[in-house]
Amino acid sequence: MFRQPLIGVIACTKQIGLHSYHVAGDKYLRAVAEGAGGLPLVIPALGELIDQAELIQRLDGLLFTGSPSNVEPHHYQGPASAPGTLHDPARDRTTLPLIRAAVAAGVPLFGICLGFQEMNVAFGGSLHQKVHEAGPFMDHRESEEDALEVQYGPRHTLHVQPGGLLASLGLPREIQVNSVHGQGVERLGPGLRIEGLAPDGLIEALSVIDAQSFALGVQWHPEWQFQANPHYLRLFQAFGDACRQRAGRR
Ligand SMILES: N[C@@H](CCC(=O)NCCCC(=O)O)C(=O)O
């Protein structure tokens, strides 16, 4: 009997007035519901308070969203962040072990932007904290003066690497992607495969080589207006298929 896959969507912590909340972006939740065909469930960033083994037993997939926050550099032996850099330690403490546990248990997972960077760090990789100040790379940040449609509109070519997961999904060798990030992959974690490169050589898509199921991370934002972008939609459909496969087996 068909069971809609239950897909966890990782929350960020956010101070609203005097209180702290756990929030998840609307566009991610809609992409899970409509793009992946899943039942979205927001997972609070409660770190050690959550029994992650129990959690992943109940889930058919996990989406690690983007966020203005950045992984704390001590997780990848990086230099201290510049003053004013946004962090979300509670999210770090939740996502980094959860990514490893989910892959080990064969739970499909999809990382977007910060979620992509968390996948790299979870597997022992490191990050450029300011890509635009690191050697040959262009500025991958959005212009905050631009309208949202412009910020999340197509920005650069993504070179899909042959023989990988993205290629197996039928994506062409080159697609146009948006770019809303100041950090990026410096050293790729062991056990990860490069799935896509920006024109300046920055790694912008990865997969887990020995994953039992779908395990993809992308630096861009495929949840943005995915209904109108067949390449973005294809990622959520494939993620949803993997989650349905896990749901059907349980
Ligand atoms: N802070 C990191 C990751 C950037 C990121 O995830 N941006 C998205 C913010 C809002 C949204 O969810 O769309 C970096 O700057 O590299």
Side-chain angles (χ1 to χ4, degrees), residues 4-235:
Q4 194 173 10
L6 186 64
I7 300 176
V9 180
I10 297 299
C12 304
T13 60
K14 185 177 178 61
Q15 191 78 15
I16 303 174
L18 296 178
H19 300 284
S20 180
Y21 293 80
H22 295 253
V23 296
D26 177 78
K27 53 189 170 67
Y28 298 105
L29 299 169
R30 291 177 183 276
V32 165
E34 295 178 73
L39 195 55
L41 179 73
V42 177
I43 306 295
L46 289 177
E48 307 78 13
L49 283 183
I50 289 182
D51 181 330
Q52 296 197 342
E54 280 289 314
L55 178 66
I56 57 181
Q57 281 301 312
R58 287 164 169 72
L59 293 177
D60 301 309
L62 273 163
L63 179 76
F64 295 83
T65 69
S67 169
S69 66
N70 301 277
V71 180
E72 288 193 309
H74 67 82
H75 289 294
Y76 53 88
Q77 297 75 49
S81 295
T85 302
L86 294 179
H87 297 112
D88 189 343
R91 171 160 170 160
D92 291 351
R93 286 198 304 275
T94 304
T95 57
L96 298 178
L98 186 56
I99 287 166
R100 293 189 287 265
V103 169
V107 178
L109 68 95
F110 188 13
I112 293 174
C113 208
L114 176 63
F116 158 84
Q117 296 167 358
E118 288 169 333
M119 289 179 70
N120 186 49
V121 171
F123 276 83
S126 63
L127 302 177
H128 290 297
Q129 296 185 28
K130 293 187 176 182
V131 169
H132 41 286
E133 294 180 5
F137 301 120
M138 62 192 186
D139 194 337
H140 286 252
R141 295 172 296 179
E142 74 284 12
S143 257
E144 291 181 358
E145 300 76 51
D146 287 340
L148 213 49
E149 304 289 326
V150 176
Q151 290 186 30
Y152 284 77
R155 176 79 172 285
H156 66 68
T157 299
L158 188 277
H159 298 280
V160 175
Q161 301 303 291
L165 172 56
L166 283 185
S168 74
L169 299 182
L171 267 62
R173 285 298 301 272
E174 293 183 3
I175 63 172
Q176 295 304 306
V177 298
N178 51 34
S179 188
V180 184
H181 63 106
Q183 302 205 350
V185 170
E186 178 188 48
R187 186 182 68 253
L188 190 69
L192 299 180
R193 173 194 287 117
I194 297 175
E195 292 280 347
L197 295 170
D200 59 6
L202 188 68
I203 296 170
E204 292 221 347
L206 60 82
S207 61
V208 180
I209 294 171
D210 294 331
Q212 305 162 53
S213 182
F214 188 97
L216 176 71
V218 298
Q219 181 69 78
W220 68 94
H221 286 269
E223 83 287 356
W224 177 259
Q225 299 182 348
F226 61 90
Q227 305 94 326
N229 188 313
H231 302 319
Y232 290 7
L233 177 58
R234 182 71 188 99
L235 304 183

